[in-house]
RNA sequence: GGGGCUAUAGCUCAGUUGGUUAGAGCGCUUCGCUCACAUCGAAGAGGUCCUGUGUUCGAGCCACAGUAGUCCCACCA
C-alpha cells in the first residue's frame, strides 16, 4: 500500500476550484506589513464594472500573478491590491441601454432612481468579475479590495480636487471641447478616436458687401455656416491683401462678417480663405480669441441646430448639411464639391461623431503637472518595460493640453463645487455644505456634473491605501513595485497616475511599468463585440483549465508586443500540464517505501542524477534571472523544456532501470532525486501554473502548508555537476545515434540490438561502461561492446560518429553498402563544410588578433573535434569500399 | 505631417548586450497502443533570417536607404 495518495487522471476543472478556496480561506494571499521584510506590491488595474472580463484582463492578471507569486515565494512582504472601477461613462451607457429595454430613459427615472439602478448593476457585475479573477488563479488580497467609489477613494478624490483648485491648477472655463451629442457630455481629447473618412469639401462663395465679387471658401462642415463670424486669410497672402478688413455677407443668414488676417491659415490649402466658426471648431476658437470675435453656438447639446441657425432650427446635423447645400446651390453660391479624406472624431464609447462645442467645463492645468511626471521617467525613477514606451509617454506629456475633467453624467464622483443662488459665489469644499459660507444663504446648489472616471483612477495607487492618512499600508507598500498594463492605456491612466502621485505624494507611484500588448484573434484582428470574435477566458478555462490558459498567455511572445490567440496553443499547454501530471503520477507510484529522512551522500548520485541536478540548477538560475528581467515567456519556456525534454524524456526513463533494479540504494537515491527534482520543478512552475502544481505538491512528501508559500528554489552550489552533465550529454548523443540508425535500418522498435562503441576519452569510456543500463533501457541495446579507438571495427554494422565516440549498430542481415555509404557521405559533407568555415575563420589574421581568446579557443576545439569526426568517417568509407 | 512596432521553417513565434552547424510549439512524413502519459513515445523532412549598401576579423542581431504590413499621435478648413 502506497503511503502517498496517487493521482487519478488529469482534470483541471476538478482541482482548480478546490485550491483557490484553500488559498483564500487560509489567508495565503494576505500579508500584514512586516518589519524587516522587503516589500513587493502591485495594485491591480481595476476592471470596469461594465460587464465581463475579456482576454486582455486574463493576460494582465496572469502577468501580475506570476510576479506576485514569485515574490511571495521568495519571501517578500507582498501586497496585491485588487479592485474595480466605476467607469463613469461606460457603465452609464450600459445601464441606459438596459432601462431603454424597459422603454425608459434616465430622465424618466430621475437622477436618484437612475443611480440606484447603476449601483444594482455594479453589485451584479462587480461580483461576476471577482469570481472571474479567482477562476484565473490571481492571488489578490481580497481583504483589501477597493472600488473607485468607496468612501476612502471618494475622500481622496475630493482632497485632490480641492487642493488642485486651491493651487490654481483646476479652473472652470467656457471653452471649446469635444462633445458627444449622444452621450451628451464633454469628453477629453483622448476619449476621441480619429478615423479617416471620405468626406466632401464644399466650395462656397461669400459675397463681398458693397462689391460684386465673392470670396470663395472651402469647408467640410457646411452645417456650421450659421455660426460663422469671420473669414480669415493669411496676412502674407498677396492675393487677398485688399480683402482684409472688408465685410462679407454670410449666405443664408444674411449677416455681415469681417475678413480678418491670421497666420493660422495655410495659403496653399483649399482656397486660402477659411470660414471661422469659433463656437464649433477648436482652431476657429483660437482665432476667435485672438481677434475677439463673437462666438455663436448654433447647436443644441443633442447635436440638432438651435434657434441661432435660423430656418435650420431643429434639424439634425446631417439634415442641416443637406439642406444648406441645397439652398446654397439654389442661390448659385455653391461652386463645387470635391471628395476629400479627412480625420473625423468619434466618441470612444458610442462611436457617435464628436461635435466640438463651446461649453462651461472644469479643466486641470497640465503644464505644471506634466514636468515632474516626465522628470521621474527621464531620471529613471520609474522605468518602462520595454523602455521604448517611455518615449511615447514623454512625447505625449510634452504636447499635453489641459484636461477637461467634468462630465455631464450622473454616474461618478460628483464635482465638489456649490454655487450660491443669492450671492453668486462659487464654493469648493471638501465636505458637503448646505449653506453658503459667504452669505449664509441656503439657496445653494451643487454642480450637477461628475468627474472624468480617470480622475479617480489617477489616484488609485495611493487612494486605495488610505491616503491622505499616513496609513501602515502606504508606509509599507508605497510606492508600488510594478504596474502591469496594456500600452493602450498609457495616456489614459499611467501618465495621470504619475503626475497625480508626483503632485500629492511627492514620490513616484511605481518603480516599473510593465507594458504588454493586446490579445488578438487567430487572424490578428482585435477582439471586439462588433466583430463577434471575442474569446471568453472562462470558456477556455472550462475546456482546458486556467493553468493551460495562463501558460498560453505568457509564452510565445515578448513584452510589449501583441499576441494571437490560438486554441491549438492552449491545447498544447493543457497537454504539457498533463505531462507534468503523469510524471508526478509515476513518481508517486514509486514511493511506497519512500524514506523521508533519507538524504543521499553526494557520492551516491549516479550519472543521470548528477545530470538532472545540474540541469535543474541551471534552470533555477535561468528562471529567476528572466523573471527579474520581466522576461516571463523566456522563463516559462525554460521550465517547459526542462520538465518535458529533460525530466520526462530522459531522467524518468533512466530512473526506471534503477527503481526496479537490484540495488536498494539505487532505488532510494533515485526516489530522492525524483522527489527533489519534481518538487523544485513544481515550485518553479507554480507562478505560471498555480493549480496543478499545488495539487501535485500536496500529494508529494512535503513540509509546509502549501506550495504557494513554499520557498522559491535557489540553485544549490553543492549539487552542481558540470562535468557529469557533459558526459551524460555525450551518452545521450550516442543513444540518439543508435535510435536513428535503428529507424534507418527499419529495426523493429521492440527488437533488441547489438552495439559497439569505440571511445578513447577515458572519462567517457568509464561513464559508458558504468551505465550500460541506459543503452539497454533507452535504445534497446542487448549487448554493448566497448572498443578502443584503434581496435578493428565491426563489418556488418551501421556507423555514426558523435562527439568523442564512434557508434556501431550491428545488423543481422547484410548491410546495404551503397545506402550506408550515402548516409556517411552526407555526414561527411556536413562536417567538411563546417571544417572549411572554421579553417577559414582561423586563417583570418584579423580574427586571431581581435576576437576574444575564448572565442578563438572555441573555434580551435571545434575544428579538432570535426577533424576527428572526419577521420572516422573517412575510415569508415574506406572500409565500406572494400566490401 | 510626425513617431513606434513588425518582417526568421507551411502556421504562430523565440533568438538575452555581434562569435550556435539559426531554435521551439503546432502542422507534415515514417514507425510504435513498451507496465507515468496516444493529451504519448521514437525517427525525420522543412529556412536566400524582407531587399540593398555599409560598419566589423565576424551581422539574424549594429548603421543608413528602400519595400511591405500594422499601430499610435497630430487643429490643416
Amino acid at each position: 500500500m502506497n503511503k502517498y495518495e496517487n493521482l487519478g487522471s488529469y482534470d483541471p476543472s476538478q482541482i482548480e476550484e478546490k485550491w483557490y478556496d484553500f488559498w483564500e480561506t487560509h489567508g495565503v494571499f494576505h500579508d500584514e506589513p512586516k518589519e524587516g521584510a522587503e516589500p513587493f506590491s502591485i495594485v491591480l488595474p481595476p476592471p470596469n464594472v461594465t460587464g465581463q472580463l475579456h482576454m486582455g484582463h486574463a493576460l494582465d492578471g496572469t502577468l501580475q500573478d506570476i510576479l506576485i507569486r514569485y515574490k511571495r515565494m521568495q519571501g517578500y512582504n507582498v501586497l496585491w491590491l485588487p479592485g474595480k472601477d466605476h467607469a463613469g461613462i461606460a457603465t452609464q451607457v450600459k445601464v441606459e441601454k438596459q432601462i431603454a429595454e424597459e422603454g425608459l430613459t434616465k430622465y424618466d427615472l430621475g437622477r436618484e432612481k437612475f443611480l440606484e439602478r447603476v449601483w444594482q448593476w455594479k453589485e451584479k457585475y462587480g461580483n461576476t468579475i471577482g469570481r472571474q479573477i479567482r477562476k484565473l488563479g490571481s492571488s489578490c488580497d481580497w481583504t483589501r479590495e477597493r472600488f473607485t467609489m468607496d468612501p476612502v477613494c471618494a475622500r481622496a478624490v475630493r482632497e485632490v480636487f480641492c487642493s488642485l483648485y486651491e493651487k490654481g491648477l483646476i479652473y472652470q472655463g467656457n471653452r471649446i471641447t469635444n462633445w458627444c451629442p449622444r452621450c451628451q457630455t464633454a469628453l477629453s481629447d483622448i476619449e476621441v478616436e480619429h478615423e479617416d473618412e471620405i468626406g466632401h469639401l464644399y466650395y462656397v462663395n461669400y459675397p463681398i458687401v458693397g462689391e460684386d465679387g465673392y470670396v470663395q471658401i472651402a469647408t467640410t462642415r457646411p452645417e456650421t455656416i450659421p455660426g460663422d463670424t469671420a473669414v480669415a486669410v493669411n496676412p502674407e497672402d498677396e492675393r487677398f491683401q485688399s480683402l482684409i478688413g472688408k465685410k462679407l455677407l454670410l449666405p443664408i443668414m444674411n449677416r455681415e462678417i469681417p475678413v480678418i488676417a491670421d497666420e493660422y491659415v495655410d495659403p496653399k490649402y483649399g482656397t486660402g480663405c477659411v470660414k471661422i466658426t469659433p463656437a464649433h471648431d477648436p482652431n476657429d476658437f483660437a482665432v476667435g480669441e485672438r481677434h475677439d470675435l463673437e462666438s455663436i453656438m448654433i447647436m443644441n447639446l443633442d447635436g440638432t441646430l438651435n434657434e441661432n441657425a435660423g430656418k435650420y432650427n431643429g434639424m439634425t446635423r446631417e439634415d442641416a448639411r443637406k439642406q444648406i447645400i441645397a439652398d446654397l446651390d439654389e442661390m448659385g453660391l455653391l461652386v463645387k464639391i470635391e471628395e476629400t479624406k479627412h480625420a473625423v472624431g468619434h466618441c470612444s464609447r458610442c462611436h457617435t461623431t464628436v461635435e466640438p462645442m463651446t461649453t462651461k467645463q472644469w479643466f486641470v492645468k497640465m503644464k505644471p503637472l506634466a514636468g515632474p511626471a516626465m522628470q521621474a521617467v527621464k531620471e529613471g525613477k520609474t522605468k518602462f518595460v520595454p523602455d521604448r514606451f517611455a518615449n511615447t509617454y514623454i512625447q505625449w506629456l510634452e504636447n499635453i493640453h489641459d484636461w477637461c475633467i467634468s462630465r455631464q453624467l450622473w454616474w461618478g464622483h460628483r464635482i465638489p463645487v456649490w454655487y450660491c443662488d443669492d450671492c453668486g459665489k462659487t464654493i469648493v469644499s471638501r465636505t458637503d455644505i448646505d449653506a453658503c459660507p459667504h452669505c449664509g444663504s441656503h439657496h445653494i446648489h451643487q454642480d450637477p456634473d461628475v468627474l472624468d472616471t480617470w480622475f479617480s483612477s489617477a489616484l488609485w495607487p495611493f487612494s486605495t491605501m488610505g491616503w491622505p492618512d499616513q496609513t501602515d499600508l502606504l508606509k509599507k507598500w508605497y510606492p508600488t513595485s510594478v504596474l502591469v498594463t496594456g500600452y493602450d492605456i498609457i495616456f489614459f491612466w499611467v501618465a495621470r497616475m504619475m503626475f497625480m502621485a508626483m503632485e500629492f505624494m511627492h514620490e513616484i507611484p511605481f518603480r516599473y511599468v510593465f507594458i504588454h500588448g493586446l490579445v488578438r484573434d487567430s487572424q490578428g484582428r482585435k477582439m471586439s463585440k462588433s466583430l463577434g470574435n471575442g474569446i471568453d477566458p472562462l470558456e477556455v478555462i472550462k475546456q482546458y483549465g486556467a493553468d493551460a490558459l495562463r501558460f498560453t498567455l505568457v509564452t510565445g511572445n515578448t513584452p510589449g508586443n501583441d499576441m494571437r490567440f490560438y486554441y491549438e496553443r492552449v491545447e498544447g499547454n493543457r497537454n504539457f500540464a498533463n505531462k507534468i501530471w503523469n510524471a508526478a503520477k509515476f513518481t508517486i507510484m514509486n514511493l511506497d517505501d519512500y524514506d523521508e529522512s533519507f538524504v543521499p551522500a553526494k557520492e551516491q548520485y549516479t550519472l543521470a542524477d548528477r545530470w538532472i541536478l545540474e540541469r535543474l540548477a541551471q534552470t533555477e538560475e535561468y528562471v529567476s534571472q528572466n523573471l527579474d528581467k520581466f522576461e516571463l515567456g523566456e522563463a516559462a519556456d525554460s521550465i517547459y523544456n526542462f520538465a518535458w525534454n529533460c525530466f520526462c524524456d530522459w531522467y524518468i526513463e533512466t530512473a526506471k532501470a534503477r527503481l526496479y533494479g537490484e540495488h536498494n540504494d539505487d532505488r532510494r537515491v533515485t526516489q530522492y532525486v525524483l522527489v527533489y527534482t519534481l518538487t523544485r520543478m513544481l515550485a518553479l512552475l507554480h507562478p505560471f501554473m498555480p493549480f496543478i502544481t499545488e495539487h501535485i505538491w500536496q500529494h508529494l512528501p512535503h513540509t509546509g502548508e502549501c506550495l504557494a508559500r513554499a520557498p522559491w528554489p535557489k540553485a544549490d552550489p553543492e549539487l552542481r555537476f558540470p562535468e557529469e552533465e557533459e558526459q551524460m550529454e555525450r551518452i545521450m548523443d550516442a543513444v540518439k545515434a543508435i535510435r536513428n540508425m535503428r529507424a534507418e535500418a527499419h529495426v523493429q522498435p521492440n527488437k533488441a540490438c547489438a552495439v559497439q562503441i569505440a571511445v578513447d576519452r577515458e572519462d567517457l569510456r568509464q561513464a559508458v561502461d558504468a551505465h550500460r543500463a541506459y543503452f539497454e533501457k533507452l535504445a534497446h541495446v542487448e549487448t554493448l561492446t566497448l572498443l578502443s579507438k584503434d581496435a578493428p571495427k565491426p563489418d556488418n554494422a551501421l556507423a555514426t560518429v558523435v562527439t568523442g565516440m564512434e557508434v556501431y549498430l550491428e545488423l543481422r542481415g547484410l548491410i546495404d553498402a551503397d545506402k550506408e555509404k550515402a548516409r556517411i557521405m552526407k555526414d561527411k559533407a556536413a562536417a567538411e563544410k563546417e571544417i572549411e568555415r572554421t579553417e577559414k575563420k582561423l586563417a583570418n589574421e584579423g580574427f586571431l588578433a581581435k576576437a576574444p581568446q575564448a572565442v578563438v579557443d572555441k573555434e580551435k576545439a571545434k575544428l579538432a573535434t570535426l577533424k576527428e569526426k572526419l577521420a572516422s568517417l573517412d575510415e569508415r568509407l574506406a572500409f565500406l569500399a572494400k566490401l
Side-chain angles (χ1 to χ4, degrees), chain A residues 351-363:
Chain A
H351 213 255
T352 304
T353 300
V354 161
E355 197 64 41
M357 295 256 220
T358 305
T359 50
K360 200 174 204 182
Q361 303 290 349
W362 289 93
F363 297 88

Side-chain angles (χ1 to χ4, degrees), chain A residues 180-396:
Chain A
C180 174
R182 202 225 58 93
C183 301
Q184 298 207 26
T185 180
L187 302 171
S188 66
D189 293 345
I190 51 177
E191 284 169 292
V192 177
E193 291 170 356
H194 292 274
E195 282 168 31
D196 273 350
E197 282 179 8
I198 302 293
H200 300 278
L201 193 56
Y202 303 90
Y203 289 79
V204 181
N205 278 340
Y206 285 16
I208 304 170
V209 175
E211 291 178 30
D212 272 346
Y214 299 98
V215 168
Q216 194 181 114
I217 59 98
T219 179
T220 53
R221 295 196 304 151
E223 67 274 19
T224 63
I225 286 177
D228 287 2
T229 51
V231 165
V233 298
N234 190 292
E236 308 292 314
D237 196 332
E238 285 163 16
R239 295 173 294 175
F240 306 122
Q241 288 300 319
S242 63
L243 280 177
I244 299 169
K246 286 189 177 165
K247 298 278 186 195
L248 306 175
L249 189 66
L250 182 64
I252 292 162
M253 304 306 290
N254 292 321
R255 182 154 51 74
E256 289 190 4
I257 57 171
V259 176
I260 59 169
D262 194 282
E263 286 176 350
Y264 148 70
V265 180
D266 177 359
K268 293 190 285 292
Y269 189 87
T271 61
C273 303
V274 186
K275 68 192 264 313
I276 301 296
T277 322
H280 293 283
D281 183 282
N283 297 309
D284 296 5
F285 182 84
V287 174
E289 281 199 323
R290 283 198 286 276
H291 297 268
D292 204 19
L293 296 174
E294 197 188 347
S295 175
I296 305 173
M297 278 275 285
I298 58 149
M299 278 188 210
N300 299 306
L301 298 180
D302 63 358
T304 57
L305 299 221
N306 66 17
E307 65 279 4
N308 291 331
K311 67 176 268 208
Y312 306 101
N313 185 8
M315 286 189 186
T316 65
R317 293 180 283 178
E318 297 76 16
D319 290 345
R321 177 179 295 185
K322 282 183 207 144
Q323 192 57 50
I324 285 172
I325 289 305
D327 291 348
L328 287 169
D329 197 19
E330 200 170 303
M331 287 185 269
L333 295 175
L334 180 66
V335 183
K336 60 176 175 180
I337 304 175
E338 281 177 359
E339 273 204 348
T340 182
K341 200 162 83 173
H342 62 143
V344 178
H346 300 268
C347 171
S348 60
R349 276 303 145 195
C350 67
H351 213 255
T352 304
T353 300
V354 161
E355 197 64 41
M357 295 256 220
T358 305
T359 50
K360 200 174 204 182
Q361 303 290 349
W362 289 93
F363 297 88
V364 174
K365 203 179 273 182
M366 283 308 306
K367 287 284 179 220
L369 293 170
M374 280 190 273
Q375 205 53 29
V377 170
K378 282 181 183 165
E379 286 170 6
K381 287 184 181 142
T382 292
K383 293 192 182 72
F384 278 80
V385 179
D387 60 6
R388 66 170 184 271
F389 290 105
N391 297 332
T392 37
Y393 165 89
I394 284 168
Q395 276 172 24
W396 186 71

Side-chain angles (χ1 to χ4, degrees), chain A residues 631-678:
Chain A
E631 291 281 355
L632 311 193
E634 189 68 10
D637 237 32
S638 67
I639 303 168
Y640 182 100
N641 176 54
F642 174 78
W644 202 315
N645 304 120
C646 298
F647 188 67
C648 292
D649 285 351
W650 290 93
Y651 186 71
I652 285 186
E653 292 309 319
T654 64
K656 284 175 184 171
R658 290 185 294 135
L659 283 170
Y660 312 137
E662 305 290 302
H663 304 289
N664 196 36
D665 261 3
D666 265 9
R667 181 171 168 85
R668 290 170 59 180
V669 174
T670 307
Q671 284 173 330
Y672 178 86
V673 176
L674 276 171
V675 171
Y676 176 88
T677 308
L678 178 59

Side-chain angles (χ1 to χ4, degrees), chain A residues 624-836:
Chain A
S624 295
Q625 278 167 18
N626 279 289
L627 286 178
D628 291 339
K629 287 190 295 186
F630 296 99
E631 291 281 355
L632 311 193
E634 189 68 10
D637 237 32
S638 67
I639 303 168
Y640 182 100
N641 176 54
F642 174 78
W644 202 315
N645 304 120
C646 298
F647 188 67
C648 292
D649 285 351
W650 290 93
Y651 186 71
I652 285 186
E653 292 309 319
T654 64
K656 284 175 184 171
R658 290 185 294 135
L659 283 170
Y660 312 137
E662 305 290 302
H663 304 289
N664 196 36
D665 261 3
D666 265 9
R667 181 171 168 85
R668 290 170 59 180
V669 174
T670 307
Q671 284 173 330
Y672 178 86
V673 176
L674 276 171
V675 171
Y676 176 88
T677 308
L678 178 59
T679 302
R680 293 179 75 114
M681 184 175 97
L682 290 172
L684 291 178
L685 189 56
H686 181 258
F688 302 88
M689 294 187 152
F691 295 108
I692 187 176
T693 51
E694 181 73 68
H695 185 84
I696 295 172
W697 188 88
Q698 297 280 355
H699 282 72
L700 286 169
H702 63 267
T703 51
E705 182 182 47
C706 60
L707 179 56
R709 282 278 183 192
W712 181 252
K714 216 173 143 210
D716 182 349
E718 291 302 311
L719 296 178
R720 301 305 296 257
F721 304 98
E723 285 163 24
E724 289 90 338
E725 187 223 13
E726 194 268 346
Q727 290 166 0
M728 184 66 191
E729 296 283 335
R730 298 288 73 80
I731 288 177
M732 288 160 66
D733 285 347
V735 167
K736 286 183 217 169
I738 297 166
R739 287 170 173 174
N740 181 323
M741 288 185 286
R742 289 181 60 118
E744 296 244 357
H746 300 293
V747 177
Q748 288 298 314
N750 50 3
K751 207 164 201 174
C753 63
V755 165
Q756 304 194 28
I757 294 180
V759 51
D760 63 352
R761 220 175 88 186
E762 190 48 33
D763 65 323
L764 257 190
R765 186 188 177 79
Q766 283 177 20
V768 173
D769 195 26
H771 301 285
R772 290 160 177 272
Y774 298 164
F775 289 87
E776 286 163 26
K777 196 75 199 169
L778 303 173
H780 281 281
V781 175
E782 194 171 39
T783 55
L784 175 64
T785 313
L786 276 176
L787 306 172
S788 68
K789 190 91 191 189
D790 40 6
K793 305 292 153 56
D795 356 325
N796 198 27
L798 300 187
T800 300
V801 181
V802 295
T803 304
M805 288 185 255
E806 292 167 19
V807 184
Y808 299 93
L809 174 70
E810 290 183 46
L811 290 184
R812 300 265 155 86
L814 286 178
I815 60 166
D816 180 335
D818 287 338
K819 216 171 138 193
E820 174 66 354
K821 218 163 115 185
R823 213 172 58 85
I824 304 271
M825 286 298 283
K826 205 177 133 199
D827 270 6
K828 186 182 164 176
E832 277 174 336
K833 196 176 144 201
E834 201 46 37
I835 285 172
E836 197 187 316

Side-chain angles (χ1 to χ4, degrees), chain A residues 43-49 81 83-89 91 119 146-161 164 170 191 364 403-407 409 411-416 450-467 483 492-501 504 509-510:
Chain A
V43 289
L44 178 84
N48 292 350
V49 290
L81 194 153
K84 296 174 207 110
D85 196 305
H86 67 281
I89 187 166
T91 310
W119 277 104
R146 288 277 177 244
F147 177 54
T148 46
M149 301 240 293
D150 280 349
V152 269
C153 297
R155 188 169 68 128
V157 164
R158 279 228 178 164
E159 175 59 36
V160 165
F161 185 97
L164 286 176
I170 278 184
E191 284 169 292
V364 174
W403 174 18
C404 174
I405 50 169
S406 45
R407 296 289 178 277
L409 303 170
W411 176 239
H413 289 281
R414 191 88 176 255
I415 290 178
V450 300
L451 290 165
D452 181 358
T453 198
W454 295 104
F455 192 92
S456 55
S457 315
L459 317 180
W460 190 244
F462 49 91
S463 67
T464 51
M465 295 194 199
W467 184 88
L483 178 86
F492 282 107
W493 195 40
V494 179
R496 283 161 176 174
M497 282 191 283
M498 284 295 292
F499 66 69
M500 285 296 196
F504 290 97
F510 22 73

